[in-house]
Amino acid sequence: SHSSARTREGWLAWLAVVIVCMLAYITSGTSDLPRVVTAGARVLHKPAREVYPGEIGSARVDKVIDDMVKVMRKRRAVGLAAPQIGVPLRIIVLEDTKLRKALSPNKYNKEQDRRPFDLLVILNPKLKEKSNKTALSFEGCLSVPGYEAMVERFLEVEVTGLDQDGQPIKVDASGWLARILQHECDHLDVVLYVDKMEKRTFRTVRYHNMPLAKGWPQQRVS
Ligand code: ZN
């Protein structure tokens, strides 16, 4: 009848409103995020430059840092370097949370001694190894999507630099965090993990949880 058609119309209108709101919510805050550039992009293949003192705290640099943190969280990465979002500046961000670790359950979390840590924003980082002891473990990179390989890294490093407000900071890191710091600092000097990888261990992430083949190097993190 006439009134039930009107009811249905009203109901459909409400449904449309709800769907539009849901789409707006899902895409809010992420639609304007920069894209992660991948191997081959010019910005990944020329050295990033230092952030000048006068730029620290500027709207532009703060926006770059904000974008980096958002992209890292959205892509569930544990680190990101500015060149990866197309910005040729020496800035890195790192973060790993218990939740993110829980969301990526795989046997390597344990084998890699994955330990969550709070957000770190470092401008103009300088990395120094603290000993010549090394670890060997799998790494991936948002800029080399779909692959992973084992990379040898120093077990203990010290990174000095500036925080977002320009205050000097020093991070003494070992294990998981030390390895991520080395990966991110490398990005600023035109080095991707594939330049340092144990070539035989290079594989597609489809085989992420597969046992290592006989004769392959084994992961060691201590
Ligand atoms: Zn990377």
Side-chain angles (χ1 to χ4, degrees):
S1 71
H2 191 71
S3 73
S4 80
R6 195 183 295 163
T7 309
R8 188 161 63 226
E9 239 169 58
W11 192 82
L12 285 173
W14 272 112
L15 184 64
V17 167
V18 167
I19 289 171
V20 167
C21 286
M22 278 171 69
L23 286 175
Y25 176 75
I26 289 166
T27 56
S28 67
T30 60
S31 56
D32 58 345
L33 281 183
R35 212 178 296 185
V36 173
V37 299
T38 49
R42 263 183 91 78
V43 67
L44 291 179
H45 302 282
K46 56 182 194 180
R49 76 152 168 86
E50 299 236 319
V51 182
Y52 305 134
E55 291 177 304
I56 295 169
S58 67
R60 181 188 171 228
V61 166
D62 281 349
K63 171 82 161 62
V64 168
I65 294 169
D66 195 48
D67 282 348
M68 288 172 69
V69 172
K70 282 182 179 154
V71 168
M72 172 175 67
R73 288 177 176 163
K74 186 181 170 211
R75 300 288 301 272
R76 289 194 201 161
V78 291
L80 198 74
Q84 292 185 276
I85 58 162
V87 178
L89 292 177
R90 302 186 80 83
I91 305 174
I92 59 174
V93 299
L94 309 87
E95 182 185 55
D96 195 13
T97 62
K98 279 186 188 152
L99 178 65
R100 210 171 309 160
K101 180 180 168 180
L103 285 173
S104 57
N106 68 72
K107 66 194 206 75
Y108 292 122
N109 281 345
K110 190 155 184 287
E111 273 180 35
Q112 297 202 312
D113 192 22
R114 182 170 178 173
R115 281 174 278 151
F117 55 86
D118 291 336
L119 176 67
L120 273 170
V121 175
I122 310 175
L123 283 62
N124 304 337
K126 298 223 165 26
L127 185 138
K128 210 164 65 183
E129 61 263 25
K130 300 276 278 182
S131 79
N132 53 15
K133 280 191 286 183
T134 60
L136 183 68
S137 67
F138 273 104
E139 287 182 23
C141 180
L142 292 181
S143 295
V144 189
Y147 300 95
E148 61 180 20
M150 278 202 236
V151 185
E152 187 170 23
R153 299 285 188 188
F154 292 108
L155 265 177
E156 294 173 313
V157 298
E158 174 193 288
V159 175
T160 53
L162 303 172
D163 69 10
Q164 188 164 359
D165 302 318
Q167 298 302 311
I169 46 171
K170 189 177 113 172
V171 182
D172 276 302
S174 64
W176 178 244
L177 176 58
R179 302 200 302 273
I180 299 166
L181 281 164
Q182 289 166 83
H183 177 116
E184 301 312 332
C185 285
D186 272 353
H187 274 298
L188 307 178
D189 293 320
V190 197
V191 174
L192 295 176
Y193 83 85
V194 291
D195 297 317
K196 293 184 167 177
M197 69 182 175
E198 204 46 74
K199 291 196 190 79
R200 278 175 302 160
T201 64
F202 186 65
R203 64 185 185 180
T204 47
V205 289
R206 154 197 294 260
Y207 299 109
H208 186 62
N209 283 316
M210 288 288 281
L212 302 178
K214 263 206 179 127
W216 272 23
Q218 297 297 306
Q219 294 204 94
R220 54 180 166 78
V221 293
S222 60

